[in-house]
Amino acid sequence: MTSVEEPARTNGRIRDAARTQAEILDVATQEFARAGYDGARVDEIAARTRTTKRMIYYYFGGKEQLFTAVLERAYSVIREAEQQLDVEHLDPVAAIRRLAELTFDHHEQHPDFIRLVSIENIHGAEHIAASEKLGRIGSPALDVIRRILESGQESGLFTADVDAVDLHAMISSYCFFRVSNRHTFGALFGRDLVDPARREYYRTMLGDMVIAYLTAPRAEG
């Protein structure tokens, strides 16, 4: 980690530290999503935040730590959304559809998150693996899925022998692919997966697929 002393305040202005860090993270998110980890430049981020490279190093320690902070914030946004999910009053089928819709909406509304996750996978998830914060953040959605699955299985509505992690992967993969592969899919098949005119169709299809899988008749054996 680069050691940098706190920069002297210029022009007599005292910048609010929290606001400055948030501004840096906003621009860094855009720059890493646009150029990737290797292509992103701290100088460019500094220029766009009207601050200095030295200030960025003071707050975050360097490019690697800045990218990790960007990932931590990106994941915290979806975790906060998951924590707000209220499905306790719904039956298991309606509850799992609502959770799938939440994931669908979040991925569509945060394309930078999709690109950041793709970039981190290229780098073998090394930043996530090294982040204590991400190691603790967990996923509230998994706890919700477990409760929904238990309720559905106890009531006899759900017949699939699936755990929360695999169901989460099933839902996320559909939502992720729709955003991450829209350009290649469109070039190959002439269909825009994020076409607003087909949004509700795809959103409903996701819920239908998940529910059909969970409730399909299964041969005893």
Side-chain angles (χ1 to χ4, degrees), residues 12 25 52 109 180 213:
L25 286 173
T52 65
Q109 294 163 7
S180 67
Y213 170 70

Side-chain angles (χ1 to χ4, degrees), residues 27-156:
V27 174
T29 295
Q30 298 167 10
E31 182 64 11
F32 282 121
R34 182 192 67 81
Y37 177 77
D38 293 329
R41 295 290 178 265
V42 177
D43 287 328
E44 176 66 18
I45 295 169
R48 291 179 56 197
T49 53
R50 296 166 298 167
T51 187
T52 65
K53 188 175 180 179
R54 187 181 181 193
M55 180 73 80
I56 293 174
Y57 283 157
Y58 170 70
Y59 282 127
F60 296 99
K63 181 180 176 180
E64 182 176 353
Q65 292 82 4
L66 178 58
F67 183 64
T68 299
V70 164
L71 287 172
E72 289 171 347
R73 193 177 69 159
Y75 274 98
S76 71
V77 170
I78 191 169
R79 297 301 176 252
E80 288 171 7
E82 290 171 353
Q83 288 175 339
Q84 300 301 315
L85 182 64
D86 180 15
V87 296
E88 300 300 328
H89 62 292
L90 300 176
D91 67 79
V93 170
I96 208 69
R97 183 182 290 276
R98 180 68 194 95
L99 185 140
E101 291 171 347
L102 171 75
T103 307
F104 182 98
D105 294 344
H106 181 276
H107 283 48
E108 179 182 73
Q109 294 163 7
H110 297 84
D112 282 353
F113 173 75
I114 304 299
R115 288 190 283 270
L116 290 169
V117 172
S118 298
I119 292 163
E120 179 65 353
N121 272 286
I122 290 172
H123 288 269
E126 60 185 29
H127 301 91
I128 289 178
S131 169
E132 292 184 8
K133 183 175 181 180
L134 285 171
R136 297 192 306 266
I137 201 170
S139 176
L142 290 180
D143 293 332
V144 175
I145 293 173
R146 288 188 187 100
R147 292 196 297 271
I148 296 172
L149 286 176
E150 289 174 3
S151 176
Q153 288 163 350
E154 289 173 1
S155 66

Side-chain angles (χ1 to χ4, degrees), residues 97-110 174-175 178-179 191-209:
R97 183 182 290 276
R98 180 68 194 95
L99 185 140
E101 291 171 347
L102 171 75
T103 307
F104 182 98
D105 294 344
H106 181 276
H107 283 48
E108 179 182 73
Q109 294 163 7
H110 297 84
Y174 176 97
C175 300
R178 176 173 169 265
V179 179
R191 179 164 295 174
D192 183 0
L193 294 175
V194 297
D195 179 358
R198 294 179 64 83
R199 180 181 189 276
E200 287 307 312
Y201 170 81
Y202 288 130
R203 195 169 185 259
T204 300
M205 186 169 73
L206 169 62
D208 289 347
M209 288 191 300

